[in-house]
Amino acid sequence: MSQEGGYCEITLEPKLASRAAPELYGKLKQHASDTVVLDASKVEQIGVLVMQILIAAVKDWGSRSVDFEVVDPSSAFCESAKTLGIDLELLGVPATGRA
């Protein structure tokens, strides 16, 4: 169980199809009160459901004033977001961390 106000860094898997969504959701839920940093540098493929989970997480963490950030997004991560019409800021990617 995570401590309130803790820190969690998660490295996203290369393939994040819909079947990876429940596991990612579970990890995020375990760290709901923690600052979360997701390393997206290895992402080669990411599905719509995973993108939805990330957007919801960014909004949820933000509504509670808890930091949530996606760092080092791969080109595939950025291209998938662009293809889906998703602004990277909605995914927690700071302007300086874009691939």
Side-chain angles (χ1 to χ4, degrees):
M1 183 175 245
S2 63
Q3 296 178 0
E4 188 169 319
Y7 177 86
C8 175
E9 186 168 334
I10 299 170
T11 299
L12 295 175
E13 298 293 323
K15 306 262 187 231
L16 291 169
S18 293
R19 67 179 166 265
E23 182 180 345
L24 178 60
Y25 176 78
K27 284 181 186 178
L28 293 173
K29 190 173 178 181
Q30 286 177 339
H31 297 282
S33 62
D34 298 337
T35 291
V36 171
V37 175
L38 297 180
D39 179 347
S41 62
K42 294 181 168 103
V43 174
E44 297 170 4
Q45 176 186 9
I46 187 165
V48 174
L49 186 54
V50 174
M51 289 287 199
Q52 289 174 325
I53 288 170
L54 293 179
I55 292 169
V58 169
K59 289 184 178 210
D60 181 42
W61 266 250
S63 73
R64 295 180 287 112
S65 299
V66 180
D67 291 332
F68 187 101
E69 185 176 8
V70 175
V71 297
D72 299 326
S74 67
S75 295
F77 183 96
C78 294
E79 281 300 313
S80 292
K82 182 179 176 183
T83 298
L84 295 169
I86 299 170
D87 186 323
L88 289 173
E89 287 182 25
L90 288 175
L91 295 167
V93 178
T96 58
R98 297 180 182 188

